[in-house]
Amino acid sequence: MTFEPARIPVSSTVRDIGPINWAICRLGARGIRAPQFHLFNALSRHSALFWAWLPFSGVLLYWGRLSRQDAEIVILRVGSLRDCEYELQQHRRLARSRGIDDGLQQKIFAGPDADGLTDRQRTLLRATDEFILDRAVTPATWTALAAHLNTKQLIEFCLLAGQYDTLAATMNTLQLPLDFPD
């Protein structure tokens, strides 16, 4: 994959984004163990949206009702469907820390018909595919998903898939450089 230069600055100084956003960007970079967190650096240039997005994103990623493994299955599938290397690089690492090894990640990338998936994993992947590619989930898939998730989790599934679809489009459009050399 050939990378074009970022379309907006992805390196920020205190003067560019203010001291609070600068501190958040630095803490974010430390949290992912990278010199820069290019997504935060880019989004922090629009302070109002950054401040609105940050708690929403944090709830979905860290404090949601879906299990952390279920959330990572959805996020990895969205990143794969949208060919978003930035999202995949970040979440391959996070998924491993949440118990999704490289073998399971490859099955997620292969899709809901891959061998060796549980019924729950297969259903999450199928629902994610429909949500992202068709912009709706069929009644049959919704019924299967509802057998695994409660009402709050079903709502969260939709917002999680939609959030990461939006992020993938944003990251790809802004042409963010990867945070890690691999």
Side-chain angles (χ1 to χ4, degrees), residues 3 14 17 22 47 59 85 97 99 106 118 121 148 168 170 177-178:
F3 288 99
V14 173
I17 60 174
W22 183 85
S47 204
V59 167
E85 190 56 35
S97 75
Q106 291 309 310
T118 67
Q121 293 164 342
H148 296 286
T170 301
L178 299 177

Side-chain angles (χ1 to χ4, degrees), residues 158-180:
C158 295
L159 290 172
L160 179 73
Q163 151 81 348
Y164 279 88
D165 189 29
T166 298
L167 278 175
T170 301
M171 294 170 194
N172 284 343
T173 300
L174 296 179
Q175 299 177 345
L176 297 180
L178 299 177
D179 292 328
F180 303 96

Side-chain angles (χ1 to χ4, degrees), residues 129-149:
D129 283 8
E130 290 177 12
F131 187 93
I132 299 302
L133 300 174
D134 302 333
R135 308 311 289 166
V137 175
T138 63
T141 301
W142 185 261
T143 299
L145 192 62
H148 296 286
L149 306 179

Side-chain angles (χ1 to χ4, degrees), residues 12-26 41 44-47 50-51:
S12 301
T13 66
V14 173
R15 186 175 178 168
D16 295 329
I17 60 174
I20 295 173
N21 285 355
W22 183 85
I24 291 169
C25 291
R26 295 304 153 261
N41 290 349
S44 69
R45 290 179 172 273
H46 191 313
S47 204
F50 184 57
W51 278 85

